[in-house]
Amino acid sequence: MDQKTEELAANAAGIARAAGLLAAGGLVAFPTETVYGLGADARNGTAVAGIFAAKGRPRFNPLIVHVADLTSAEAIAVFDDQARALAAAFWPGPLTLVLPLRPAAGISDLVSAGLTTVAIRCPAHPVARALLTAFGGPLAAPSANPSGKVSPTTAAHVIEGLAGRIAAVVDGGPCKVGVESTILAVDPPRLLRPGGLPLEALEAALGQPVAAPEIAADGAHLPNAPGQLTSHYAPGAAVRLEAHDKRAGEIWIGFGPACPGAEISLSPSGDLTEAAATLFAALRAADRLARATGAATIAVAPLPETGLGRAINDRLRRAAAPRG
Ligand code: TXA
Ligand code: MG
């Protein structure tokens, strides 16, 4: 289990080293525009199994396959006209499409968890793209964090959670989007996970509404894809949502200008793009502060359920859910 985790620079030498480690069946964390992914050769079942071991995932959830371009994606999944139009509109970018898997694609059964469909995306981050090109094949990659914990948006976050368990991490700086990709099942269009591409943008491109699962007041019916756990993204402290003020024994994460006394803000001006980019680092910082000050709870100000607010609120509800 214990190995030395190499910290690689995002230059030609670092990317060549990372591609070599992946080709040898190693696990390499790399930056995407959403969060850092923990990559393995999607065709190598042993390497993919290593992802679950390194993350300590309780069960084999299906993983997202990352490819360099649409041509590579079409070798793995069956695209209809609508899927092709969505890829043309939003790739490279924070959109994952769930499509029929080509049986001869050579993708490990562990990646699709035995389903007849595959989740696939073409990331926009230049380092992810350079790595996919250098490696020359598909990479299975969930977020590069221990199972159930907050997703990493810097290389330091990856090291904090996975040092000694993975071969390397490529340091590409902080992730710009900050929440995971939006997952869409294409036929018929259904939102499986709100994410870095707003639902409104998908609906505008499709010219039709996209079914999104309802959210009950108690958070019981969260937007769901197979293998998504209700409790996820969990900091050590308890989480209280819709907090309009700060109570005794709390660290308060604010949003917008009207949060006097908040220790941390997702965006002082109330900007959802900034809030998404800040979210996971803010949860980590609040957790550290809570530990240092003996606060038992992290309170979070309300955010609107529109645009990127949907993805942010989804992650916050999971962070606040009862821990399994
Ligand atoms: O932004 C992201 O999407 C990040 C970065 C690293 O690319 N990746 C990521 O992967 O979030 P992961 O493994 O944490 O999320 C995979 C999600 C799971 O919730 C799973 O249920 C869903 O994708 N999924 C995978 N294959 C599926 C399938 N065939 N049908 C439905 N959902 C699927
Ligand atoms: Mg994850």
Side-chain angles (χ1 to χ4, degrees), residues 35 55 57 142-152 180 193 232-233:
V35 300
K55 283 179 67 84
R57 271 211 183 179
S143 53
N145 54 281
S147 183
K149 300 298 184 197
V150 176
S151 294
E180 294 86 345
R193 177 177 75 183
H232 203 171
Y233 310 100

Side-chain angles (χ1 to χ4, degrees), residues 48 51-52 55 57 61-65 110-113 118-120 140-142:
V48 175
I51 290 178
F52 295 97
K55 283 179 67 84
R57 271 211 183 179
N61 310 323
L63 302 175
I64 296 173
V65 175
L110 272 183
V111 172
S112 54
V118 64
I120 195 158

